[in-house]
Amino acid sequence: MVQKVLKRARDAMSKFVVNNVAGESGRKLPQYIAGLAASGGALAAGTFLGWTAPTDKPLTQQMEYGFPISDEAFSWIGSISNLGAAVMCFPIGYMMKLIGRKWSMLAMVLPLVLGWLLIIFAENVAMMMVGRFFLGVGGGAFCVAAPTYTAEIAQPSIRGTLGTFFQLMVTVGILFVYAVGAGVDVQMLSIICGIIPLVFGAIFFFMPESPYYYVEKGRFSEASGSLKKLRGAQYDENAEIEDLKQADAKMKAEAITIVEAFRQKATIRALCISLGLMFFQQLSGINAVIFYNSAIFASANGGEEMSSASIIVGGIQVVATLVASAVVDKVGRRILLLVSDFMMAVSTILLAVYFQLKEDDPSKVSDLNWLAVLAVCLFIAMFSIGYGPVPWLMVGELFANNVKAFASPLAGVFNWLLAFLVTKIFTNLKDAMGEAGVFWLFSGISLAGTVFVFFVVPETKGKSLNEIQLLLSGEKPTASDQVSVQEAKSDDTVPQVA
């Protein structure tokens, strides 16, 4: 009898410790599963981002679809998806508040499937352009919704890890398209890509809604059920529900208008830094390299022996993104941005020199075909380790919680519009300036971006959101303003796009 009493006491104490130490408890596996399921939308986004690289030559030169597609028309096909993504940055936020994070993402299966169907059965350039626009709508929405969902379902100790899933799956999607596109025609590639959002929908349908959404709506019993699914049936969710209630009440109490927000020095400076980072991210030429790397290799006289070059580039991007996720909280944001941008400048200088030599005398580069491949691989690796994920991470860190709702989408719209601009005018710039001239331009912009980071961008590693706001406003934090690094990390959400 005494042993039974002692056993019950030990069990009760064990449950108390598990459910209360450092706010951590419950099972992690269901959270990893839900995070991976949500990142299936990132895989779908990656496929539409990488689709143009293996389809450029088959569509424009080989006329696989039976109708002519000029280089100018293909530049519109490649770039218009970015406009679709820009269009969705603000509406998806309202959708998530109205119908929830889960159903907003499930709803995006429709434009993705519709987009791929239009491309699969395209009979003219217009159908392809409309299809690509719908793909941008769906993919762009995922770039906002999936990181938000992942941040809201995860406990602080694994939130950073789950936050890296999105960018990683985008790069996996790009690599997938490169690999599959090397072995099938454009229509079959599009069919395979069109299956991915359907598989995502079938899996994600069974995932729980974000508990924070239920708390926002006052549906506390459903929030409790969601936490049970995410943390395990034995989890005592009451303390976390109370934390979510307090966070929601604080957000509503601190709500301000957009006019009031942009009267604050910290908000203005955060916006300037965020938009500056987005500008230098896109004007580095990343989307031009991703969308047209097959054409770059072909122009570098690589020929058939370099048919796997795009797959190598995609693999490098995946590996570099994994490296970035491992080191960003150790070495800091500024050093990654500085190294990334400077080395991107070096990469594009190498490309510019190569194409300059080729324009002057093609015989000079007959033994230097490897240089273009090396430069593109270095560029992709350096982008993925710094300027790819870090600007999005800093958007989540720089803005106060009560202004993120309209400031973060503004940064997103700016980013996608710049992506559209670069992708659209790359062919035109190449015709007007020559390939060497375009890469000289990109290298100059990357060098300017390095200077921008050095003089303007603050280091946010290890700082709480409150400390960052004081830093941006030019004030020094007092002892009462200091909070733990763990708390700072637990508040961060990280939406990312290549």
Side-chain angles (χ1 to χ4, degrees):
M1 181 70 179
V2 173
Q3 289 179 337
K4 288 183 178 179
V5 171
L6 290 173
K7 184 177 184 299
R8 288 175 183 171
R10 283 196 302 270
D11 289 344
M13 180 60 69
S14 175
K15 287 181 181 178
F16 176 82
V17 171
V18 167
N19 285 320
N20 289 278
V21 172
E24 292 293 324
S25 58
R27 300 175 62 204
K28 303 296 189 295
L29 181 59
Q31 299 170 58
Y32 280 108
I33 292 172
L36 279 171
S39 297
L43 183 67
T47 58
F48 93 77
L49 287 170
W51 181 84
T52 51
T55 60
D56 186 355
K57 185 176 179 181
L59 290 177
T60 58
Q61 298 180 25
Q62 299 170 4
M63 288 182 60
E64 274 195 12
Y65 268 49
F67 55 86
I69 301 176
S70 66
D71 289 341
E72 175 67 16
F74 191 78
S75 72
W76 277 104
I77 292 171
S79 61
I80 199 167
S81 57
N82 296 299
L83 286 183
V87 164
M88 279 304 293
C89 282
F90 282 100
I92 190 62
Y94 290 106
M95 283 183 66
M96 287 193 294
K97 284 187 172 293
L98 187 64
I99 63 175
R101 285 58 160 160
K102 174 182 174 178
W103 287 103
S104 293
M105 284 192 280
L106 287 174
M108 290 304 105
V109 172
L110 181 61
L112 285 172
V113 171
L114 178 58
W116 286 120
L117 285 173
L118 284 167
I119 290 173
I120 291 166
F121 298 106
E123 296 180 355
N124 50 55
V125 171
M127 284 184 69
M128 281 199 164
M129 287 179 60
V130 174
R132 289 282 297 172
F133 183 85
F134 277 117
L135 291 179
V137 167
F142 274 120
C143 291
V144 176
T148 301
Y149 175 84
T150 301
E152 291 179 356
I153 66 166
Q155 291 173 294
S157 64
I158 62 171
R159 186 169 296 157
T161 301
L162 293 188
T164 65
F165 285 177
F166 185 84
Q167 181 70 10
L168 178 62
M169 292 300 281
V170 169
T171 59
V172 169
I174 294 172
L175 174 60
F176 175 81
V177 170
Y178 288 171
V180 175
V184 301
D185 61 25
V186 176
Q187 189 172 52
M188 181 54 66
L189 173 63
S190 301
I191 291 171
I192 294 170
C193 290
I195 294 172
I196 292 176
L198 293 174
V199 174
F200 159 78
I203 295 173
F204 194 66
F205 179 81
F206 297 98
M207 296 300 112
E209 176 59 270
S210 161
Y212 188 78
Y213 166 73
Y214 284 136
V215 169
E216 278 184 328
K217 298 297 182 181
R219 295 154 61 177
F220 304 122
S221 62
E222 290 168 284
S224 176
S226 177
L227 284 172
K228 288 283 190 184
K229 291 179 182 178
L230 290 164
R231 314 283 192 262
Q234 301 302 315
Y235 177 68
D236 182 0
E237 77 283 2
N238 292 321
E240 189 167 354
I241 291 288
E242 286 304 313
D243 287 343
L244 291 174
K245 287 181 181 178
Q246 291 177 16
D248 182 56
K250 183 180 179 182
M251 284 284 290
K252 291 173 180 175
E254 294 179 350
I256 58 176
T257 66
I258 188 170
V259 174
E260 293 171 331
F262 288 107
R263 286 176 179 165
Q264 299 174 355
K265 181 179 179 180
T267 303
I268 294 172
R269 190 176 173 197
L271 184 65
C272 291
I273 293 169
S274 298
L275 296 186
L277 289 174
M278 295 305 180
F279 176 85
F280 289 112
Q281 181 198 67
Q282 289 301 328
L283 271 293
S284 68
I286 179 59
N287 273 308
V289 173
I290 288 178
F291 280 40
Y292 299 111
N293 69 70
S294 293
I296 291 171
F297 289 133
S299 185
N301 290 325
E304 293 300 321
E305 62 182 359
M306 295 173 65
S307 60
S308 62
S310 291
I311 300 175
I312 295 171
V313 167
I316 290 171
Q317 195 171 17
V318 172
V319 173
T321 303
L322 280 171
V323 172
S325 66
V327 303
V328 68
D329 281 324
K330 293 181 175 64
V331 302
R333 283 64 159 148
R334 267 172 54 86
I335 189 66
L336 282 180
L337 288 170
L338 288 168
V339 171
S340 171
D341 216 12
F342 180 76
M343 292 307 297
M344 284 194 295
V346 171
S347 305
T348 44
I349 286 172
L350 289 176
L351 281 170
V353 169
Y354 175 87
F355 285 115
Q356 191 71 60
L357 290 172
K358 183 185 173 187
E359 288 174 11
D360 295 340
D361 184 0
S363 63
K364 291 181 180 178
V365 295
S366 58
D367 296 326
L368 290 176
N369 292 333
W370 57 270
L371 182 61
V373 179
L374 174 65
V376 169
C377 291
L378 180 64
F379 180 92
I380 290 290
M382 289 298 100
F383 177 86
S384 299
I385 207 171
Y387 245 97
V390 174
W392 291 105
L393 169 63
M394 295 196 72
V395 167
E397 293 177 327
L398 291 171
F399 292 106
N401 284 328
N402 58 350
V403 301
K404 280 181 183 176
F406 37 79
S408 296
L410 189 61
V413 169
F414 186 67
N415 184 279
W416 284 112
L417 289 177
L418 286 174
F420 163 76
L421 178 67
V422 173
T423 310
K424 173 63 190 72
I425 68 171
F426 177 72
T427 302
N428 307 91
L429 283 175
K430 191 170 64 172
D431 293 339
M433 303 173 63
E435 288 162 321
V438 172
F439 287 109
W440 282 122
L441 176 63
F442 287 152
S443 64
I445 291 172
S446 291
L447 287 173
T450 307
V451 174
F452 172 80
V453 171
F454 186 83
F455 287 104
V456 179
V457 178
E459 179 57 75
T460 58
K461 184 194 75 166
K463 291 183 172 63
S464 71
L465 296 181
N466 186 47
E467 288 174 323
I468 293 170
Q469 292 307 300
L470 291 171
L471 177 66
L472 292 173
S473 62
E475 302 175 23
K476 292 184 178 180
T478 63
S480 62
D481 292 320
Q482 305 296 326
V483 295
S484 69
V485 172
Q486 183 63 43
E487 179 184 345
K489 291 179 180 177
S490 71
D491 285 335
D492 297 335
T493 55
V494 191
Q496 299 175 16
V497 182

